[in-house]
Amino acid sequence: MSDYDVVVVGAGLAGLEVARSLAVAQKKVLLVDAKASLTERVHTTGIFVRRTLEDFHFPEHCLSPVVRDVSLYSPRGQRIDLQSQHDEFRVGKMGLLYEHWLEQCRSLGVDVMLKTRFISCECDQFSNSVKLQSEGRELEVSSKFVIGCDGAQSRVAKSLQLSENRKWIVGLERVYRSGESNSDSPKFHCLIDPVLAPGYIAWVVDDGEEIHVGVGGDAKRFNPKSALIEFESWAEQEINLTSGNLIEQRGGKIPVGGLLPNISNPYGILVGDAAGAVSPLTAGGLDPCLRMSRLAAILTNEYLNTGDEKVLQRYNGQQIRKRFWKRLILRRCLETIRSRTLINIGWSALNSPPGKAFARKIMFGRGSFPDLHPSNDRRSRGSDKINSDAYC
C-alpha cells in the first residue's frame, strides 16, 4: 500500500491548485480524478473576474480576450449598459488551463491517477486508509490527510463526516465558436427573468473567440434544456449564433447556500464547490475556489509539519460565512421573485443613478469573497513557504 502525505480528490481548479502548492512545499501528493482526461466534461463557463486576474497569474494562452462591457436585460427586453474602465472579465479556456496545471503537478512530483474514483476513507489517529477504484479495480493507499475538491456533491465530505451542500442551482450552457463579428467589442449579456432563469440569470458571453450561452436557476422551478432553447431564440436578437459552430455543451450543479460551516477536521478538509465556496449571490466560484485553495495548502502544510490541530481551526467555515450575510440575504430575495411583471416594474429603479451604481458594484465589485491568505498572521510566519505564482 502506497504512502502519501496528502491525497487530493478531484483535479479541477481547486484540486490542481492545492496539489501543486503542496508539491512546492515538498509534500508527497496523490491527485485522483474520475475523468480520463481533464478536458472532458468541463462544468464551468470559466469567467475570471478582475480581482482574480490581478491576484493570480494565468498563462496567456489559457485566457480569452478581455471583456469590459455588460448589458443587463429585463424580461420585456429593456437594456441597461454598463462599462468598466478596467479589464473586468476574461473567460478561461478551462481544458487548456487544467492540462497546463496538470503537467506542472507532474513536473513537481505529484502522482496522478485519472479514471480513478474515491470510494471511502477510514481514519485513525495515525493515518487514513483511502479506498479508490481505478478502471474497475479496487486499491488502497495510506495518507496522512485527505483534501476533497470533488464538487458540489462531495463523497469526501460524506466520508469524513463534514458538512454537505444542500442548496444549489442548476446551470446549462452551450459553447459556440464565434463566427463573423457579432459586436464591436466583447460583451457580457445578462437576462434577469424569474421564469426563464428562476433565482438566477440567463447569460451570453461573447469574447470574440467563443460564445457561451447559458441558463441557470432553481431546478424545481424550470427545465434547463427547454429554457436554454427558449433563451437561444431570444439571444439571436442580440448575437448571431447561426454563424458559429457548436463546440460543446456544459452543465452541472452550483452550490449557492454559502460556505459550509464544518469544512475541516484532523483527517481532511474541503475546498472549492465541495466546501460551498461560491458567492451566494452571483454564483461565482473561481475566485473563492483559488483563495480557499491557497489557504488550504498553507494550513495543510503547517498542520502536517507541526501536528497541531489548532492550525485547522483557522480553516473555519462558520467564521468566514459570517462575512457573507448581505449576499445571503440578497440570495433569498432573488429566490422569492417569481413575477416578470415585478422585474419590469422595478427596472426603472435599476436604471436610475443609484440603481446603476448598485448594478456596477455587483458586476464589477471586488468584494465577492474575502482574501483569506494568512501572510499577515503572526502564527503563519515562518511556515508559509508556498508561493502559488512562482510556478505559473
Side-chain angles (χ1 to χ4, degrees):
M1 184 167 64
S2 299
D3 294 328
Y4 292 93
D5 293 315
V6 183
V7 171
V8 179
V9 181
L13 200 66
L16 290 164
E17 174 70 7
V18 168
R20 66 191 190 137
S21 297
L22 287 170
V24 168
Q26 304 298 310
K27 294 297 180 284
K28 187 177 181 182
V29 181
L30 172 65
L31 175 64
V32 303
D33 195 278
K35 294 187 290 187
S37 169
L38 300 192
T39 61
E40 295 177 4
R41 303 193 307 275
V42 175
H43 297 296
T44 177
T45 301
I47 300 177
F48 290 104
V49 298
R50 173 164 53 99
R51 186 173 181 232
T52 313
L53 295 167
E54 291 174 349
D55 293 351
F56 295 86
H57 176 77
F58 303 94
E60 187 63 26
H61 74 279
C62 295
L63 297 174
S64 294
V66 170
V67 178
R68 293 186 172 194
D69 296 312
V70 174
S71 291
L72 306 178
Y73 300 84
S74 72
R76 197 161 51 196
Q78 298 167 297
R79 190 175 80 186
I80 297 173
D81 293 323
L82 306 172
Q83 186 177 59
S84 175
Q85 296 179 346
H86 305 282
D87 295 346
E88 207 63 54
F89 306 105
R90 297 188 75 173
V91 178
K93 300 175 183 178
M94 301 308 290
L96 284 177
L97 183 59
Y98 291 160
E99 289 290 342
H100 179 81
W101 282 2
L102 183 64
E103 287 309 307
Q104 286 190 342
C105 285
R106 286 180 167 138
S107 69
L108 290 165
V110 175
D111 287 347
V112 177
M113 294 183 64
L114 301 180
K115 294 191 287 186
T116 303
R117 294 185 178 277
F118 172 87
I119 302 301
S120 65
C121 181
E122 295 181 3
C123 309
D124 61 37
Q125 60 179 336
F126 302 108
S127 67
N128 300 321
S129 176
V130 182
K131 295 183 179 180
L132 306 169
Q133 186 178 68
S134 182
E135 300 185 80
R137 178 174 59 95
E138 291 191 0
L139 62 149
E140 194 171 322
V141 300
S142 176
S143 176
K144 298 175 184 175
F145 208 62
V146 178
I147 301 182
C149 307
D150 51 338
Q153 295 176 288
S154 170
R155 287 190 175 193
V156 175
K158 187 181 293 293
S159 186
L160 294 181
Q161 298 182 356
L162 296 172
S163 297
E164 299 177 57
N165 288 295
R166 304 294 183 190
K167 186 175 185 179
W168 42 62
I169 59 176
V170 176
L172 181 65
E173 86 168 4
R174 292 185 180 134
V175 184
Y176 294 89
R177 184 75 60 196
S178 185
E180 297 179 1
S181 180
N182 286 304
S183 61
D184 295 333
S185 62
K187 183 175 282 191
F188 189 175
H189 305 263
C190 300
L191 172 64
I192 303 172
D193 186 330
V195 176
L196 194 65
Y200 194 50
I201 60 169
W203 65 90
V204 176
V205 182
D206 176 14
D207 60 27
E209 293 183 358
E210 294 180 346
I211 304 171
H212 297 250
V213 186
V215 295
D218 184 345
K220 298 177 182 179
R221 292 168 51 192
F222 85 134
N223 182 308
K225 290 183 179 179
S226 60
L228 183 56
I229 293 172
E230 183 180 346
F231 178 59
E232 284 190 332
S233 297
W234 177 92
E236 281 281 5
Q237 303 173 46
E238 296 291 330
I239 292 180
N240 181 11
L241 299 179
T242 58
S243 65
N245 297 318
L246 180 64
I247 301 172
E248 62 180 312
Q249 181 169 296
R250 301 173 176 176
K253 290 183 175 180
I254 308 168
V256 290
L259 195 65
L260 298 174
N262 183 20
I263 56 176
S264 70
N265 63 27
Y267 310 110
I269 59 177
L270 305 177
V271 184
D273 283 6
V278 175
S279 169
L281 180 59
T282 66
L286 300 188
D287 186 74
C289 167
L290 288 170
R291 295 183 192 280
M292 291 293 289
S293 298
R294 176 175 287 181
L295 178 66
I298 290 170
L299 296 183
T300 297
N301 182 51
E302 185 177 346
Y303 173 60
L304 292 175
N305 288 342
T306 66
D308 184 359
E309 293 183 12
K310 292 181 180 179
V311 170
L312 299 176
Q313 293 176 9
R314 285 140 57 195
Y315 199 79
N316 187 315
Q318 191 66 52
Q319 290 298 318
I320 302 171
R321 182 183 174 87
K322 292 177 181 178
R323 302 165 73 172
F324 291 92
W325 65 272
K326 290 181 181 178
R327 289 177 179 266
L328 287 166
I329 290 173
L330 288 172
R331 158 57 46 192
R332 296 189 188 101
C333 292
L334 186 60
E335 291 170 342
T336 61
I337 299 175
R338 304 196 173 201
S339 168
R340 283 174 167 168
T341 301
L342 185 61
I343 294 290
N344 288 326
I345 291 173
W347 201 255
S348 58
L350 189 63
N351 201 22
S352 67
K356 284 187 175 180
F358 174 76
R360 288 179 63 84
K361 185 173 182 180
I362 295 297
M363 298 304 302
F364 303 145
R366 288 175 53 87
S368 62
F369 204 80
D371 189 352
L372 303 174
H373 195 289
S375 58
N376 294 323
D377 186 339
R378 62 178 177 85
R379 293 169 297 183
S380 300
R381 292 175 187 171
S383 65
D384 178 7
K385 298 180 180 179
I386 298 173
N387 184 348
S388 300
D389 292 339
Y391 45 88
C392 289

